[in-house]
Amino acid sequence: MNECLPDFPSATGYLIGPKGRKKTIGVDVGGVTVGGLSPIVVQSMTNTDTADVDSTVTQVASLYKAGSEIVRITVDRDEAAAAVPHIKERLLKQGLNVPLVGDFHYIGHKLLADHPACAVALDKYRINPGNVGFKKKRDTQFAAIVETAIHYDKPVRIGVNWGSLDQALLTALMDKNQEAGSPLTAPEVTREAMVQSALLSADHANDIGLSDDHIILSVKVSQVQDLIAVYCMLADRTDRAIHLGLTEAGMGTKGIVASSAAMGILMQQGIGDTIRISLTPEPGGDRTREVQVAQELLQTMGFRAFVPIVAACPGCGRTTSTVFQELAGSIQQHIREMMPKWKKKYPGVEELKVAVMGCIVNGPGESKHADIGISLPGTGETPTAPVFIDGKKTHTLRGPNISQEFQAMVEDYVENRFGQK
């Protein structure tokens, strides 16, 4: 078992939702507040070559439109750094004021110094203390990035990763643990090294002059239980804003399940101010999938609302017809397609709850709990589909056009409930 923050009191033993968050120090990232008691922020990262301005602008725009409130881009060489201001300019010309984070490793201090326009265009710098520099160069190169951040008034994420952990610090802690008779296991010492790396680096940044309202911390690993433990340790020892993410989470359902399990537990305990779901896409796959998963995780846990929820039964031997599956899919797709327009025209529409059920067992009950719901006939049932609006049966649909008729009723409900009066 991992001990985390003390349980927040409530009738169930936990306080679910934003009020259960641990209050941290707020950080402004290009107009988006991370921390304090602001809503948990969704972010993502491109996988394009940043030096390719066209493809990077296209992907950043796609991620932002999908709901990524902050987007990170790789800045690994001169060509990439030179491209950053052009990427920012192109996005702004499209009306997309996307907060951009520069991901720096090894030579970030040099790239920021040699490309001041890049330093200005970025809204945050990400530093990995495990590879910002080695031996005598580490402190001076870390300091150079922090001083640049202070000069341009930019926040910094100090992102520790167990794949590139400061080996000098880890070795020192391992030696100390051995001298003490090895009271901790190797994984426990590694977690302690990660937390110390983040906190010592943040303290060093403070000493240089960077205030805590310009610092975000992360301690990423790829194993669920390790992630829960290390973030609990970090949250217990700092009030600085925290970025959550399971690194190298993997592909497909494995990555989704692992990330959701780890971050769900942490957020339930009040930990986390911004999240990124690190999914490995299929070759040619849609990068925005990680944004959708992050949104769905926050929404299903009750922390935020992004799109209307469509509840649908899983189907069983009573629902041999595929009508309810097709209707649930078409309604969900229609809602996602309409959301950019609906969000502007119908404030609060993301709170809408729709139910598409497949038989009489739970259909009417679930439909009554939704704002608008339909209970389609199961195998052997009368070929009618009662529709419930705000808990009351209002219509009964029949015939081959049930799907189109119900979709039109959803449209009418949105207009009547959320339309500007």
PDB file of all heavy atoms in Angstrom, residues 305-309 335 338-339 341-353 371 414-415 417-418:
ATOM      1  N   ALA A 305     -15.672  19.368 -16.880  1.00  0.00           N
ATOM      2  CA  ALA A 305     -16.604  18.930 -17.917  1.00  0.00           C
ATOM      3  C   ALA A 305     -16.142  19.530 -19.237  1.00  0.00           C
ATOM      4  O   ALA A 305     -15.918  20.733 -19.331  1.00  0.00           O
ATOM      5  CB  ALA A 305     -18.023  19.386 -17.593  1.00  0.00           C
ATOM      6  N   PHE A 306     -15.990  18.680 -20.248  1.00  0.00           N
ATOM      7  CA  PHE A 306     -15.508  19.125 -21.558  1.00  0.00           C
ATOM      8  C   PHE A 306     -16.549  18.938 -22.646  1.00  0.00           C
ATOM      9  O   PHE A 306     -16.751  19.798 -23.488  1.00  0.00           O
ATOM     10  CB  PHE A 306     -14.239  18.364 -21.941  1.00  0.00           C
ATOM     11  CG  PHE A 306     -13.080  18.623 -21.036  1.00  0.00           C
ATOM     12  CD1 PHE A 306     -12.804  17.756 -19.989  1.00  0.00           C
ATOM     13  CD2 PHE A 306     -12.278  19.732 -21.207  1.00  0.00           C
ATOM     14  CE1 PHE A 306     -11.719  17.983 -19.143  1.00  0.00           C
ATOM     15  CE2 PHE A 306     -11.195  19.982 -20.367  1.00  0.00           C
ATOM     16  CZ  PHE A 306     -10.925  19.101 -19.327  1.00  0.00           C
ATOM     17  N   VAL A 307     -17.176  17.769 -22.665  1.00  0.00           N
ATOM     18  CA  VAL A 307     -18.200  17.470 -23.661  1.00  0.00           C
ATOM     19  C   VAL A 307     -19.342  16.748 -22.961  1.00  0.00           C
ATOM     20  O   VAL A 307     -19.144  16.125 -21.916  1.00  0.00           O
ATOM     21  CB  VAL A 307     -17.660  16.572 -24.800  1.00  0.00           C
ATOM     22  CG1 VAL A 307     -16.571  17.288 -25.574  1.00  0.00           C
ATOM     23  CG2 VAL A 307     -17.151  15.246 -24.259  1.00  0.00           C
ATOM     24  N   PRO A 308     -20.550  16.828 -23.501  1.00  0.00           N
ATOM     25  CA  PRO A 308     -21.662  16.087 -22.908  1.00  0.00           C
ATOM     26  C   PRO A 308     -21.353  14.596 -22.810  1.00  0.00           C
ATOM     27  O   PRO A 308     -20.712  14.019 -23.688  1.00  0.00           O
ATOM     28  CB  PRO A 308     -22.821  16.355 -23.872  1.00  0.00           C
ATOM     29  CG  PRO A 308     -22.494  17.672 -24.497  1.00  0.00           C
ATOM     30  CD  PRO A 308     -20.999  17.664 -24.636  1.00  0.00           C
ATOM     31  N   ILE A 309     -21.811  13.988 -21.718  1.00  0.00           N
ATOM     32  CA  ILE A 309     -21.596  12.560 -21.509  1.00  0.00           C
ATOM     33  C   ILE A 309     -22.730  11.771 -22.148  1.00  0.00           C
ATOM     34  O   ILE A 309     -23.903  12.089 -21.968  1.00  0.00           O
ATOM     35  CB  ILE A 309     -21.533  12.239 -19.999  1.00  0.00           C
ATOM     36  CG1 ILE A 309     -20.265  12.860 -19.382  1.00  0.00           C
ATOM     37  CG2 ILE A 309     -21.562  10.735 -19.751  1.00  0.00           C
ATOM     38  CD1 ILE A 309     -20.189  12.715 -17.883  1.00  0.00           C
ATOM     39  N   ILE A 335     -22.024  14.866 -31.232  1.00  0.00           N
ATOM     40  CA  ILE A 335     -21.749  15.819 -30.160  1.00  0.00           C
ATOM     41  C   ILE A 335     -20.329  16.360 -30.277  1.00  0.00           C
ATOM     42  O   ILE A 335     -20.100  17.573 -30.146  1.00  0.00           O
ATOM     43  CB  ILE A 335     -21.991  15.160 -28.786  1.00  0.00           C
ATOM     44  CG1 ILE A 335     -23.500  15.016 -28.541  1.00  0.00           C
ATOM     45  CG2 ILE A 335     -21.345  15.970 -27.663  1.00  0.00           C
ATOM     46  CD1 ILE A 335     -23.852  14.219 -27.303  1.00  0.00           C
ATOM     47  N   MET A 338     -20.084  18.821 -33.045  1.00  0.00           N
ATOM     48  CA  MET A 338     -20.822  20.061 -32.810  1.00  0.00           C
ATOM     49  C   MET A 338     -20.235  20.912 -31.692  1.00  0.00           C
ATOM     50  O   MET A 338     -20.549  22.100 -31.589  1.00  0.00           O
ATOM     51  CB  MET A 338     -22.281  19.730 -32.474  1.00  0.00           C
ATOM     52  CG  MET A 338     -23.064  19.095 -33.613  1.00  0.00           C
ATOM     53  SD  MET A 338     -23.119  20.139 -35.097  1.00  0.00           S
ATOM     54  CE  MET A 338     -24.091  21.525 -34.482  1.00  0.00           C
ATOM     55  N   MET A 339     -19.379  20.322 -30.834  1.00  0.00           N
ATOM     56  CA  MET A 339     -18.921  21.038 -29.642  1.00  0.00           C
ATOM     57  C   MET A 339     -18.230  22.364 -29.922  1.00  0.00           C
ATOM     58  O   MET A 339     -18.463  23.337 -29.184  1.00  0.00           O
ATOM     59  CB  MET A 339     -18.026  20.133 -28.795  1.00  0.00           C
ATOM     60  CG  MET A 339     -18.799  19.244 -27.831  1.00  0.00           C
ATOM     61  SD  MET A 339     -19.951  20.172 -26.767  1.00  0.00           S
ATOM     62  CE  MET A 339     -18.815  21.057 -25.707  1.00  0.00           C
ATOM     63  N   LYS A 341     -18.877  24.564 -32.114  1.00  0.00           N
ATOM     64  CA  LYS A 341     -19.966  25.523 -32.342  1.00  0.00           C
ATOM     65  C   LYS A 341     -20.809  25.675 -31.081  1.00  0.00           C
ATOM     66  O   LYS A 341     -21.150  26.799 -30.682  1.00  0.00           O
ATOM     67  CB  LYS A 341     -20.830  25.032 -33.505  1.00  0.00           C
ATOM     68  CG  LYS A 341     -22.090  25.841 -33.741  1.00  0.00           C
ATOM     69  CD  LYS A 341     -22.923  25.225 -34.864  1.00  0.00           C
ATOM     70  CE  LYS A 341     -24.248  25.957 -35.032  1.00  0.00           C
ATOM     71  NZ  LYS A 341     -25.094  25.319 -36.087  1.00  0.00           N
ATOM     72  N   TRP A 342     -21.154  24.568 -30.440  1.00  0.00           N
ATOM     73  CA  TRP A 342     -22.020  24.608 -29.255  1.00  0.00           C
ATOM     74  C   TRP A 342     -21.383  25.387 -28.101  1.00  0.00           C
ATOM     75  O   TRP A 342     -22.076  26.102 -27.385  1.00  0.00           O
ATOM     76  CB  TRP A 342     -22.337  23.186 -28.803  1.00  0.00           C
ATOM     77  CG  TRP A 342     -23.397  22.497 -29.629  1.00  0.00           C
ATOM     78  CD1 TRP A 342     -24.046  22.998 -30.710  1.00  0.00           C
ATOM     79  CD2 TRP A 342     -23.928  21.181 -29.425  1.00  0.00           C
ATOM     80  NE1 TRP A 342     -24.952  22.093 -31.203  1.00  0.00           N
ATOM     81  CE2 TRP A 342     -24.896  20.957 -30.437  1.00  0.00           C
ATOM     82  CE3 TRP A 342     -23.673  20.163 -28.511  1.00  0.00           C
ATOM     83  CZ2 TRP A 342     -25.615  19.771 -30.532  1.00  0.00           C
ATOM     84  CZ3 TRP A 342     -24.371  18.972 -28.601  1.00  0.00           C
ATOM     85  CH2 TRP A 342     -25.348  18.780 -29.606  1.00  0.00           C
ATOM     86  N   LYS A 343     -20.067  25.229 -27.914  1.00  0.00           N
ATOM     87  CA  LYS A 343     -19.412  25.894 -26.783  1.00  0.00           C
ATOM     88  C   LYS A 343     -19.537  27.405 -26.885  1.00  0.00           C
ATOM     89  O   LYS A 343     -19.638  28.102 -25.872  1.00  0.00           O
ATOM     90  CB  LYS A 343     -17.938  25.489 -26.723  1.00  0.00           C
ATOM     91  CG  LYS A 343     -17.717  24.084 -26.173  1.00  0.00           C
ATOM     92  CD  LYS A 343     -16.249  23.705 -26.141  1.00  0.00           C
ATOM     93  CE  LYS A 343     -15.510  24.477 -25.085  1.00  0.00           C
ATOM     94  NZ  LYS A 343     -14.113  24.010 -24.950  1.00  0.00           N
ATOM     95  N   LYS A 344     -19.514  27.916 -28.118  1.00  0.00           N
ATOM     96  CA  LYS A 344     -19.647  29.364 -28.305  1.00  0.00           C
ATOM     97  C   LYS A 344     -21.097  29.814 -28.185  1.00  0.00           C
ATOM     98  O   LYS A 344     -21.389  30.890 -27.650  1.00  0.00           O
ATOM     99  CB  LYS A 344     -19.098  29.765 -29.682  1.00  0.00           C
ATOM    100  CG  LYS A 344     -17.608  29.519 -29.843  1.00  0.00           C
ATOM    101  CD  LYS A 344     -17.147  29.880 -31.255  1.00  0.00           C
ATOM    102  CE  LYS A 344     -15.659  29.621 -31.436  1.00  0.00           C
ATOM    103  NZ  LYS A 344     -15.187  29.927 -32.815  1.00  0.00           N
ATOM    104  N   LYS A 345     -22.005  28.975 -28.679  1.00  0.00           N
ATOM    105  CA  LYS A 345     -23.408  29.372 -28.761  1.00  0.00           C
ATOM    106  C   LYS A 345     -24.214  28.995 -27.535  1.00  0.00           C
ATOM    107  O   LYS A 345     -25.189  29.680 -27.186  1.00  0.00           O
ATOM    108  CB  LYS A 345     -24.026  28.729 -30.002  1.00  0.00           C
ATOM    109  CG  LYS A 345     -25.412  29.244 -30.368  1.00  0.00           C
ATOM    110  CD  LYS A 345     -25.881  28.631 -31.682  1.00  0.00           C
ATOM    111  CE  LYS A 345     -27.267  29.141 -32.066  1.00  0.00           C
ATOM    112  NZ  LYS A 345     -27.744  28.541 -33.334  1.00  0.00           N
ATOM    113  N   TYR A 346     -23.803  27.903 -26.850  1.00  0.00           N
ATOM    114  CA  TYR A 346     -24.598  27.379 -25.741  1.00  0.00           C
ATOM    115  C   TYR A 346     -23.731  27.193 -24.494  1.00  0.00           C
ATOM    116  O   TYR A 346     -23.232  26.104 -24.221  1.00  0.00           O
ATOM    117  CB  TYR A 346     -25.236  26.035 -26.123  1.00  0.00           C
ATOM    118  CG  TYR A 346     -26.080  26.069 -27.372  1.00  0.00           C
ATOM    119  CD1 TYR A 346     -25.766  25.270 -28.475  1.00  0.00           C
ATOM    120  CD2 TYR A 346     -27.206  26.892 -27.464  1.00  0.00           C
ATOM    121  CE1 TYR A 346     -26.540  25.289 -29.623  1.00  0.00           C
ATOM    122  CE2 TYR A 346     -27.984  26.927 -28.608  1.00  0.00           C
ATOM    123  CZ  TYR A 346     -27.647  26.127 -29.687  1.00  0.00           C
ATOM    124  OH  TYR A 346     -28.421  26.156 -30.820  1.00  0.00           O
ATOM    125  N   PRO A 347     -23.533  28.241 -23.710  1.00  0.00           N
ATOM    126  CA  PRO A 347     -22.723  28.131 -22.492  1.00  0.00           C
ATOM    127  C   PRO A 347     -23.275  27.064 -21.546  1.00  0.00           C
ATOM    128  O   PRO A 347     -24.477  27.002 -21.307  1.00  0.00           O
ATOM    129  CB  PRO A 347     -22.838  29.530 -21.872  1.00  0.00           C
ATOM    130  CG  PRO A 347     -23.191  30.429 -23.007  1.00  0.00           C
ATOM    131  CD  PRO A 347     -24.040  29.608 -23.932  1.00  0.00           C
ATOM    132  N   GLY A 348     -22.397  26.215 -21.056  1.00  0.00           N
ATOM    133  CA  GLY A 348     -22.799  25.171 -20.126  1.00  0.00           C
ATOM    134  C   GLY A 348     -23.204  23.871 -20.774  1.00  0.00           C
ATOM    135  O   GLY A 348     -23.539  22.904 -20.076  1.00  0.00           O
ATOM    136  N   VAL A 349     -23.171  23.790 -22.111  1.00  0.00           N
ATOM    137  CA  VAL A 349     -23.638  22.593 -22.803  1.00  0.00           C
ATOM    138  C   VAL A 349     -22.798  21.362 -22.464  1.00  0.00           C
ATOM    139  O   VAL A 349     -23.263  20.227 -22.578  1.00  0.00           O
ATOM    140  CB  VAL A 349     -23.667  22.824 -24.322  1.00  0.00           C
ATOM    141  CG1 VAL A 349     -22.249  22.926 -24.882  1.00  0.00           C
ATOM    142  CG2 VAL A 349     -24.453  21.721 -25.029  1.00  0.00           C
ATOM    143  N   GLU A 350     -21.544  21.586 -22.015  1.00  0.00           N
ATOM    144  CA  GLU A 350     -20.695  20.442 -21.677  1.00  0.00           C
ATOM    145  C   GLU A 350     -21.245  19.638 -20.491  1.00  0.00           C
ATOM    146  O   GLU A 350     -20.835  18.509 -20.253  1.00  0.00           O
ATOM    147  CB  GLU A 350     -19.263  20.901 -21.373  1.00  0.00           C
ATOM    148  CG  GLU A 350     -19.122  21.846 -20.210  1.00  0.00           C
ATOM    149  CD  GLU A 350     -19.290  23.303 -20.608  1.00  0.00           C
ATOM    150  OE1 GLU A 350     -19.689  23.565 -21.762  1.00  0.00           O
ATOM    151  OE2 GLU A 350     -19.030  24.164 -19.757  1.00  0.00           O
ATOM    152  N   GLU A 351     -22.200  20.212 -19.759  1.00  0.00           N
ATOM    153  CA  GLU A 351     -22.799  19.510 -18.624  1.00  0.00           C
ATOM    154  C   GLU A 351     -23.935  18.568 -19.055  1.00  0.00           C
ATOM    155  O   GLU A 351     -24.475  17.822 -18.244  1.00  0.00           O
ATOM    156  CB  GLU A 351     -23.364  20.524 -17.615  1.00  0.00           C
ATOM    157  CG  GLU A 351     -22.341  21.526 -17.087  1.00  0.00           C
ATOM    158  CD  GLU A 351     -21.360  20.912 -16.100  1.00  0.00           C
ATOM    159  OE1 GLU A 351     -21.612  19.764 -15.664  1.00  0.00           O
ATOM    160  OE2 GLU A 351     -20.362  21.572 -15.778  1.00  0.00           O
ATOM    161  N   LEU A 352     -24.297  18.602 -20.319  1.00  0.00           N
ATOM    162  CA  LEU A 352     -25.398  17.774 -20.819  1.00  0.00           C
ATOM    163  C   LEU A 352     -25.117  16.285 -20.632  1.00  0.00           C
ATOM    164  O   LEU A 352     -24.005  15.815 -20.860  1.00  0.00           O
ATOM    165  CB  LEU A 352     -25.617  18.071 -22.306  1.00  0.00           C
ATOM    166  CG  LEU A 352     -26.675  17.228 -23.031  1.00  0.00           C
ATOM    167  CD1 LEU A 352     -28.068  17.584 -22.537  1.00  0.00           C
ATOM    168  CD2 LEU A 352     -26.563  17.428 -24.541  1.00  0.00           C
ATOM    169  N   LYS A 353     -26.153  15.539 -20.221  1.00  0.00           N
ATOM    170  CA  LYS A 353     -26.049  14.086 -20.062  1.00  0.00           C
ATOM    171  C   LYS A 353     -27.106  13.416 -20.935  1.00  0.00           C
ATOM    172  O   LYS A 353     -28.293  13.696 -20.809  1.00  0.00           O
ATOM    173  CB  LYS A 353     -26.221  13.690 -18.598  1.00  0.00           C
ATOM    174  CG  LYS A 353     -25.091  14.184 -17.691  1.00  0.00           C
ATOM    175  CD  LYS A 353     -25.339  13.811 -16.248  1.00  0.00           C
ATOM    176  CE  LYS A 353     -24.159  14.236 -15.380  1.00  0.00           C
ATOM    177  NZ  LYS A 353     -23.942  15.690 -15.411  1.00  0.00           N
ATOM    178  N   ASP A 371     -30.361  13.922 -18.826  1.00  0.00           N
ATOM    179  CA  ASP A 371     -31.153  15.085 -19.232  1.00  0.00           C
ATOM    180  C   ASP A 371     -32.116  14.692 -20.347  1.00  0.00           C
ATOM    181  O   ASP A 371     -33.268  15.106 -20.371  1.00  0.00           O
ATOM    182  CB  ASP A 371     -30.234  16.206 -19.702  1.00  0.00           C
ATOM    183  CG  ASP A 371     -29.347  16.728 -18.581  1.00  0.00           C
ATOM    184  OD1 ASP A 371     -29.859  16.960 -17.471  1.00  0.00           O
ATOM    185  OD2 ASP A 371     -28.133  16.886 -18.815  1.00  0.00           O
ATOM    186  N   VAL A 414     -30.789  20.989 -26.580  1.00  0.00           N
ATOM    187  CA  VAL A 414     -29.644  21.875 -26.382  1.00  0.00           C
ATOM    188  C   VAL A 414     -30.048  23.325 -26.611  1.00  0.00           C
ATOM    189  O   VAL A 414     -29.712  24.223 -25.830  1.00  0.00           O
ATOM    190  CB  VAL A 414     -28.487  21.472 -27.323  1.00  0.00           C
ATOM    191  CG1 VAL A 414     -27.396  22.541 -27.337  1.00  0.00           C
ATOM    192  CG2 VAL A 414     -27.905  20.130 -26.903  1.00  0.00           C
ATOM    193  N   GLU A 415     -30.790  23.571 -27.694  1.00  0.00           N
ATOM    194  CA  GLU A 415     -31.242  24.934 -27.997  1.00  0.00           C
ATOM    195  C   GLU A 415     -32.133  25.490 -26.904  1.00  0.00           C
ATOM    196  O   GLU A 415     -31.955  26.621 -26.436  1.00  0.00           O
ATOM    197  CB  GLU A 415     -31.985  24.918 -29.340  1.00  0.00           C
ATOM    198  CG  GLU A 415     -32.710  26.222 -29.684  1.00  0.00           C
ATOM    199  CD  GLU A 415     -31.771  27.372 -29.935  1.00  0.00           C
ATOM    200  OE1 GLU A 415     -30.674  27.150 -30.492  1.00  0.00           O
ATOM    201  OE2 GLU A 415     -32.132  28.515 -29.583  1.00  0.00           O
ATOM    202  N   ARG A 417     -32.510  24.489 -23.721  1.00  0.00           N
ATOM    203  CA  ARG A 417     -31.946  24.585 -22.364  1.00  0.00           C
ATOM    204  C   ARG A 417     -30.765  25.549 -22.281  1.00  0.00           C
ATOM    205  O   ARG A 417     -30.649  26.295 -21.313  1.00  0.00           O
ATOM    206  CB  ARG A 417     -31.517  23.208 -21.870  1.00  0.00           C
ATOM    207  CG  ARG A 417     -30.860  23.260 -20.488  1.00  0.00           C
ATOM    208  CD  ARG A 417     -30.537  21.898 -19.941  1.00  0.00           C
ATOM    209  NE  ARG A 417     -29.707  21.994 -18.754  1.00  0.00           N
ATOM    210  CZ  ARG A 417     -29.213  20.955 -18.112  1.00  0.00           C
ATOM    211  NH1 ARG A 417     -29.477  19.722 -18.528  1.00  0.00           N
ATOM    212  NH2 ARG A 417     -28.447  21.124 -17.036  1.00  0.00           N
ATOM    213  N   PHE A 418     -29.898  25.503 -23.290  1.00  0.00           N
ATOM    214  CA  PHE A 418     -28.645  26.260 -23.182  1.00  0.00           C
ATOM    215  C   PHE A 418     -28.599  27.477 -24.085  1.00  0.00           C
ATOM    216  O   PHE A 418     -27.628  28.247 -24.023  1.00  0.00           O
ATOM    217  CB  PHE A 418     -27.461  25.346 -23.503  1.00  0.00           C
ATOM    218  CG  PHE A 418     -27.332  24.159 -22.588  1.00  0.00           C
ATOM    219  CD1 PHE A 418     -27.745  22.905 -23.011  1.00  0.00           C
ATOM    220  CD2 PHE A 418     -26.808  24.307 -21.309  1.00  0.00           C
ATOM    221  CE1 PHE A 418     -27.625  21.789 -22.176  1.00  0.00           C
ATOM    222  CE2 PHE A 418     -26.682  23.213 -20.469  1.00  0.00           C
ATOM    223  CZ  PHE A 418     -27.109  21.957 -20.886  1.00  0.00           C
TER     224      PHE A 418
END
